[in-house]
Amino acid sequence: MLSLRNIKKSSIVNHSSVNSIGSKTTSFLLQSKSSLLNRSSFSFNQSISSNIIQSQRGIERKKWDKKVGDRIEGYKVGSIRSIPERNCTAIQLHHESTGAEHIHIDSSDTNNAFCVVFKTIPKNSNGVAHILEHTTLCGSEKYPVRDPFFNMIKRSLNTYMNAWTASDHTSYPFSTQNKKDFTNLMSVYLDATFFPRLNKLDFMQEGHRFEFKIPDDPNSPLGYQGVVYNEMKGAMSEPGSIFMYKLNEKMFPTDTYRFNSGGDPQNIPELSYEQLKEFHSRHYHPSNSRFYTYGDLPLEEHLKFINENVLSRFQRIDPKTDIQSEEKWDTPRRFTTTGPPATMIMNPQKQTKMLISFLTNPISDIKMVNSLVILSTLLLDGPNSPMHKVLIESNIGSDWAPGTGYSPYGKEASFGFGLQDISHEDVTMVEQIIWDTLKKASEEGFTKERIDSVLHQIEMSQKTVTTRFGMTTLQGISSTWIHGGDIVESLRVDEYVNWLRDQLSQGPFFQNLIKKYLLDNPHHLTFVMTPDPNYSKNIDVKERKKLDEIQKNLDEEEKDAIVEWSKKLKVHQESKKDDNVSCLPTLDVDVDVPRTFQKDYSFDIESEPRVKHGITWNNQPTNGILYFRAMLNIPNLSEELLLYLPLFVSIITQLGTENISHRDLSSKIELNTGGINFEIVQDVDHFDLNKSKGKLLISSNCLERNIASMFDILKEVMNGPNFLEEKLLMTNLIQRATDAQDAIVGEGHTFGRLYASSSFHRSAYLSEQFSGFHQVSFLQQIANDQNITFTISKLKELCNELLRQPLEKILITGEEKNFSKSERITFQFHWFPSIKPEC
């Protein structure tokens, strides 16, 4: 499944309970801003490089020798198909006695991945799937210790560990480069999911429970407690989340997507311990499971382990997890509701959110999913898209509404267009603009250059070398897989692009999609949410009234039981430190961790870079892509200018330049590069914590045919942005302020950590200034002041201070054959910033 730069479009909830690296449930292609050697991933790979290869690994691995129809370890081979664009092979099998499905992506990649996916279909909003995800991680039959996942992080060389609950499935993935570690982690994951203890005390801790405000005083107020309950209380206090949940209730009134899979705090207390166990027995059964493995380790060993440790203990059942398609509407619908106002208000008169959402196609139709992903990009992404021109640049609202864009998650996809932070009086006007713009796009279509830029990004993604392809592939196929789509077709992107080019040659392909799925589609909902300052208070009052009534009707025995359970839970929680974790598998450093490094590619290429003219040339197999990275020093800036630095970095490529309009610049970047990125980097002075060295990291990448164009664009961008674009700057400022405001609810712990550490040393202080509460408050302030002239004067001052610094530490990574054509261009570019005119 293709994935272009996401508008705020995801309608699924991703509740991660274990996250050592980070995850999101999206598809995997077209990572237009990726870089082969980004600072964090390069450092990470170096730290694990000693743990890569044992015998017969990588390109020397034993090749799969079975045929379609062969039987092995209780499985029957269903298909074996190549994926030439990734030089790997997809092998699909099913377990004959249980019906479990398995797909293995055979690759020379030594970063092997595993996941078990369960189709989890909520019948209400009590959060059973989410709570079960938490509770399975509290100990199992073979490993009866609390938090085995977190304990394994300390006993493992994993490159990724996680678990998440989506709207219709729950996934438990990991990846590692060490063979023994793979077996260890697979053992823990399988035992945790199929044979969890599901202790009632763990259910009470992770899910919900009654507890008095003073736990041993039954006369103090009664309340609800629980990890998931409190987590969802936070999630359901955020206006964007409430908007999406209420939208799905109305958009999918007859199927499972109308429910909150994470759990609605008003419904979570309705879940019983017995219901949790019943849900596990049916949904976490092999007949309802899908296994995914990826990498160079032998598939036979994976199948043998899974069969012997899990599948052989079960017989096939009917899990009853089929999802019916949503009943189609004959006429459009409209719904208006209320929600809480934003926590940080830029304009109290503009807090309405509105969206027109269309039900489109089954996500099992891979070609149509990919085509609508591209259509979403053409309509919405960047300054050259028609919706961006009329909705974002007009400043009617602050940003896209949640649900905007194409969302291929769930059995059927949706497509939305809308704005947030608009005046209620503007709702009708925004609706009309959306319909007019869709009609105009259906009549005029898109320029060849615009379509070519999207196809170029697809080509870039296909050639880009990443270290997490196994995980991103999983995330891209999960929704398609559980709904019966051909996941191998979704990975054969070149095949799809050839089909698309043929469709484009035959007629107005994208115009026809607009007509079929949008203009002529009666199944669409106009959804509006207005602010109610008493929204959260009313919910709290309702809950307090309910709890007071429950407490009033409790007899003494029931009160004593609540107190007793609180005591038992406290003892249970404190016993965690006495867990004997020796039962968990671990690694023997002398036996299981190789001391030699072996590449997982076949190119015979020097690994040591060379330096010429102050530029480091790093010869590596990059599939014809050239990667550019450079740094310039951030000079000593005043405290006032420092606050403007993140804003300046974010708008360098957004306003155009003196010579190129912002639309033309965006088009050139998309047609010729994988993106141009600027990032603030800080180095801690470990000898003097009151000092910090700041750098501006500049990065880009391109195909070999576009090397000259990439450096021309970089040179133009380094002239500085066009500050005459005052309205456009204001648009970008409002969007950035809105995004920062929205981030506080979901990432509150990150903001708290930044603030708490800001007094430790200079680098931590600057991190808080650049991305913490101070930055959010600062952006709100300058956005509200509307004094764009003063803001521009400060940004110009910063531009002159920053972009006149000479580039240093230039790194060119690519293949030797491309170095000669880029050497002269790069050398000239190296010295350019020191002689550039003022902004």
Side-chain angles (χ1 to χ4, degrees):
M1 187 195 310
L2 300 181
S3 172
L4 296 155
R5 284 174 288 184
N6 286 346
I7 307 300
K8 294 182 180 179
K9 65 185 182 182
S10 175
S11 62
I12 78 170
V13 185
N14 176 15
H15 306 291
S16 298
S17 61
V18 177
N19 189 356
S20 62
I21 298 177
S23 171
K24 60 182 179 181
T25 310
T26 58
S27 48
F28 70 97
L29 291 176
L30 303 186
Q31 301 161 20
S32 59
K33 295 187 178 180
S34 64
S35 170
L36 176 67
L37 294 177
N38 67 68
R39 188 180 183 91
S40 59
S41 66
F42 178 68
S43 172
F44 178 74
N45 287 334
Q46 289 292 87
S47 71
I48 59 176
S49 61
S50 64
N51 171 40
I52 292 193
I53 288 291
Q54 296 176 17
S55 61
Q56 293 187 311
R57 296 290 303 276
I59 59 173
E60 298 176 354
R61 72 194 183 282
K62 180 183 177 182
K63 298 299 192 299
W64 176 259
D65 59 1
K66 299 295 187 291
K67 306 184 299 298
V68 173
D70 285 354
R71 289 177 167 81
I72 176 173
E73 300 295 338
Y75 289 86
K76 184 176 182 180
V77 181
S79 71
I80 303 173
R81 290 183 282 175
S82 66
I83 306 171
E85 48 265 73
R86 290 296 182 176
N87 194 28
C88 56
T89 301
I91 304 163
Q92 291 180 275
L93 313 95
H94 71 272
H95 193 258
E96 294 190 281
S97 64
T98 65
E101 297 180 29
H102 192 121
I103 184 166
H104 177 72
I105 309 294
D106 178 63
S107 167
S108 63
D109 189 352
T110 56
N111 190 21
N112 286 257
F114 167 90
C115 186
V116 57
V117 182
F118 302 100
K119 195 173 182 180
T120 45
I121 311 303
K123 301 297 184 184
N124 51 52
S125 295
N126 63 16
V128 59
H130 187 190
I131 293 171
L132 181 58
E133 176 216 320
H134 279 244
T135 314
T136 57
L137 308 183
C138 292
S140 63
E141 179 183 289
K142 192 183 295 184
Y143 306 111
V145 298
R146 291 181 55 75
D147 292 336
F149 275 34
F150 286 103
N151 279 296
M152 283 304 295
I153 290 174
K154 298 178 289 186
R155 308 164 71 87
S156 164
L157 290 169
N158 74 84
T159 56
Y160 184 90
M161 285 182 69
N162 208 345
W164 64 70
T165 303
S167 57
D168 53 15
H169 64 277
T170 304
S171 301
Y172 296 83
F174 72 78
S175 62
T176 180
Q177 295 185 311
N178 184 280
K179 182 176 182 179
K180 178 65 181 303
D181 196 35
F182 188 95
T183 302
N184 290 349
L185 290 169
M186 185 162 55
S187 178
V188 172
Y189 268 64
L190 292 176
D191 209 58
T193 51
F194 288 97
F195 311 112
R197 292 190 297 180
L198 296 185
N199 188 302
K200 185 172 182 177
L201 288 170
D202 292 326
F203 165 71
M204 295 174 71
Q205 173 183 275
E206 301 297 325
H208 70 87
R209 64 186 182 275
F210 284 126
E211 189 169 280
F212 294 111
K213 186 173 183 178
I214 302 175
D216 59 354
D217 181 4
N219 295 316
S220 61
L222 183 67
Y224 294 121
Q225 289 296 332
V227 173
V228 171
Y229 173 81
N230 289 322
E231 177 186 333
M232 296 310 297
K233 284 276 281 191
M236 294 302 290
S237 67
E238 199 276 313
S241 297
I242 294 171
F243 183 89
M244 285 306 303
Y245 289 128
K246 290 191 172 186
L247 170 69
N248 287 338
E249 282 181 352
K250 301 302 176 183
M251 192 68 188
F252 303 97
T254 65
D255 68 25
T256 186
Y257 303 107
R258 70 185 185 273
F259 302 119
N260 184 339
S261 63
D264 188 322
Q266 298 182 69
N267 302 114
I268 287 175
E270 298 168 2
L271 176 66
S272 70
Y273 175 55
E274 288 70 26
Q275 289 171 329
L276 179 86
K277 292 192 294 182
E278 190 279 331
F279 190 89
H280 175 269
S281 67
R282 187 160 52 87
H283 288 79
Y284 279 46
H285 189 282
S287 300
N288 191 47
S289 67
R290 290 158 179 82
F291 294 89
Y292 168 87
T293 49
Y294 165 90
D296 70 326
L297 293 175
L299 172 58
E300 296 95 328
E301 295 181 15
H302 301 337
L303 300 178
K304 179 179 175 64
F305 190 93
I306 294 170
N307 184 50
E308 290 182 352
N309 288 274
V310 176
L311 303 185
S312 60
R313 297 174 59 176
F314 292 88
Q315 293 298 318
R316 188 191 297 261
I317 66 166
D318 179 3
K320 294 182 171 56
T321 54
D322 290 340
I323 300 175
Q324 300 301 314
S325 297
E326 182 61 44
E327 295 178 7
K328 302 304 182 288
W329 303 345
D330 296 325
T331 56
R333 298 181 184 180
R334 187 181 191 90
F335 187 78
T336 299
T337 187
T338 60
T343 52
M344 300 180 68
I345 301 172
M346 285 198 295
N347 186 341
Q349 305 306 314
K350 299 179 69 174
Q351 290 206 67
T352 295
K353 294 177 173 62
M354 72 80 56
L355 186 83
I356 303 177
S357 182
F358 301 82
L359 188 68
T360 55
N361 62 301
I363 67 166
S364 57
D365 185 346
I366 305 299
K367 286 187 174 65
M368 199 48 57
V369 167
N370 288 339
S371 300
L372 291 174
V373 167
I374 293 175
L375 178 61
S376 179
T377 299
L378 294 171
L379 285 169
L380 290 157
D381 190 25
N384 291 303
S385 65
M387 288 291 180
H388 191 280
K389 293 175 185 177
V390 297
L391 291 177
I392 297 300
E393 293 183 15
S394 65
N395 289 334
I396 301 171
S398 67
D399 205 346
W400 302 114
T404 297
Y406 181 65
S407 300
Y409 312 111
K411 186 178 178 69
E412 295 172 290
S414 62
F415 208 143
F417 303 89
L419 284 177
Q420 65 177 339
D421 297 334
I422 64 175
S423 299
H424 187 64
E425 294 75 17
D426 289 339
V427 168
T428 302
M429 177 184 68
V430 172
E431 285 183 70
Q432 192 59 50
I433 290 174
I434 291 171
W435 287 112
D436 289 346
T437 305
L438 289 174
K439 184 178 180 181
K440 184 178 180 181
S442 74
E443 294 169 350
E444 299 179 0
F446 306 95
T447 65
K448 182 178 183 300
E449 184 181 59
R450 179 82 173 125
I451 295 173
D452 285 346
S453 70
V454 177
L455 296 179
H456 170 259
Q457 294 301 315
I458 296 175
E459 183 180 3
M460 286 289 295
S461 74
Q462 289 299 92
K463 289 179 176 289
T464 299
V465 179
T466 67
T467 58
R468 293 188 61 245
F469 181 68
M471 279 292 106
T472 52
T473 297
L474 166 70
Q475 293 163 358
I477 66 174
S478 293
S479 289
T480 302
W481 192 7
I482 68 167
H483 293 295
D486 185 341
I487 53 182
V488 176
E489 181 188 354
S490 71
L491 297 174
R492 287 177 163 176
V493 179
D494 289 350
E495 192 176 280
Y496 164 74
V497 171
N498 292 334
W499 174 85
L500 176 61
R501 291 187 186 279
D502 182 60
Q503 296 298 308
L504 292 171
S505 69
Q506 295 180 31
F509 178 69
F510 287 113
Q511 293 96 306
N512 290 338
L513 294 187
I514 294 173
K515 292 173 183 175
K516 177 179 180 180
Y517 289 106
L518 303 175
L519 290 174
D520 298 335
N521 181 359
H523 194 128
H524 68 263
L525 170 71
T526 302
F527 187 77
V528 180
M529 190 172 87
T530 60
D532 176 2
N534 295 316
Y535 182 88
S536 298
K537 179 182 177 181
N538 290 340
I539 291 177
D540 291 341
V541 168
K542 180 180 177 182
E543 180 183 277
R544 185 68 263 162
K545 184 177 180 181
K546 178 180 179 180
L547 284 166
D548 287 345
E549 187 66 23
I550 292 172
Q551 186 170 11
K552 178 182 176 182
N553 294 316
L554 290 174
D555 58 32
E556 292 302 317
E557 185 177 345
E558 289 170 326
K559 292 179 182 178
D560 291 342
I562 293 173
V563 171
E564 190 60 31
W565 276 114
S566 295
K567 291 178 179 178
K568 288 180 180 179
L569 181 58
K570 184 178 181 181
V571 172
H572 184 63
Q573 291 168 334
E574 292 177 347
S575 69
K576 175 182 174 181
K577 62 179 180 292
D578 299 321
D579 274 351
N580 181 7
V581 298
S582 63
C583 65
L584 292 170
T586 189
L587 298 172
D588 185 323
V589 175
D590 295 325
V591 176
D592 302 320
V593 183
R595 292 295 188 268
T596 57
F597 176 89
Q598 183 174 336
K599 301 172 184 175
D600 57 358
Y601 47 81
S602 58
F603 298 87
D604 183 18
I605 289 183
E606 62 182 65
S607 58
E608 290 297 322
R610 63 179 184 271
V611 179
K612 186 176 182 181
H613 302 310
I615 300 170
T616 301
W617 301 86
N618 189 21
N619 185 18
Q620 297 291 340
T622 58
N623 290 345
I625 296 181
L626 188 84
Y627 295 86
F628 168 84
R629 287 163 63 88
M631 283 187 175
L632 56 79
N633 274 313
I634 297 176
N636 291 326
L637 301 172
S638 67
E639 293 295 312
E640 181 185 27
L641 279 184
L642 280 173
L643 280 171
Y644 283 93
L645 185 56
L647 175 61
F648 175 73
V649 168
S650 73
I651 55 94
I652 292 178
T653 61
Q654 302 302 308
L655 305 183
T657 68
E658 183 179 346
N659 303 311
I660 305 176
S661 72
H662 71 286
R663 299 195 201 285
D664 288 343
L665 180 60
S666 175
S667 180
K668 286 178 179 292
I669 290 173
E670 291 175 351
L671 274 168
N672 296 284
T673 78
I676 295 177
N677 305 298
F678 292 80
E679 178 186 350
I680 302 169
V681 177
Q682 297 179 66
D683 292 328
V684 178
D685 188 330
H686 296 286
F687 297 98
D688 187 348
L689 294 180
N690 292 319
K691 295 181 180 179
S692 176
K693 298 176 182 178
K695 308 280 186 182
L696 186 65
L697 174 63
I698 307 162
S699 61
S700 188
N701 56 79
C702 68
L703 299 170
E704 57 186 64
R705 65 175 183 265
N706 295 324
I707 291 174
S709 297
M710 179 183 75
F711 282 108
D712 285 344
I713 297 168
L714 280 166
K715 187 175 180 179
E716 183 64 34
V717 168
M718 292 299 290
N719 274 317
N722 180 10
F723 289 112
L724 295 177
E725 292 279 5
E726 293 187 5
K727 183 179 178 181
L728 189 59
L729 174 59
M730 196 67 204
T731 298
N732 279 273
L733 172 57
I734 291 172
Q735 275 193 306
R736 186 168 176 83
T738 301
D739 289 344
Q741 167 190 294
D742 291 345
I744 289 181
V745 174
E747 299 293 329
H749 61 292
T750 301
F751 284 88
R753 186 182 71 238
L754 286 171
Y755 186 78
S757 63
S758 61
S759 61
F760 290 167
H761 50 78
R762 177 68 177 172
S763 181
Y765 167 79
L766 291 175
S767 293
E768 205 284 325
Q769 294 286 305
F770 292 156
S771 53
F773 289 120
H774 276 88
Q775 184 64 204
V776 176
S777 178
F778 172 71
L779 291 172
Q780 295 281 331
Q781 175 190 330
I782 60 176
N784 282 329
D785 285 348
Q786 300 284 316
N787 189 355
I788 197 67
T789 303
F790 181 78
T791 299
I792 288 174
S793 70
K794 291 301 175 183
L795 292 173
K796 279 187 175 181
E797 185 180 348
L798 187 56
C799 181
N800 291 324
E801 289 274 359
L802 195 60
L803 296 189
R804 289 183 63 82
Q805 302 295 318
L807 294 179
E808 57 179 41
K809 294 185 178 178
I810 295 179
L811 172 66
I812 305 293
T813 300
E815 295 164 6
E816 180 77 35
K817 62 180 181 179
N818 294 320
F819 286 172
S820 59
K821 68 178 72 173
S822 58
E823 187 169 341
R824 179 180 55 82
I825 302 169
T826 312
F827 181 66
Q828 293 175 350
F829 179 74
H830 185 185
W831 300 106
F832 171 72
S834 61
I835 59 173
K836 70 173 290 295
E838 289 193 355
C839 297

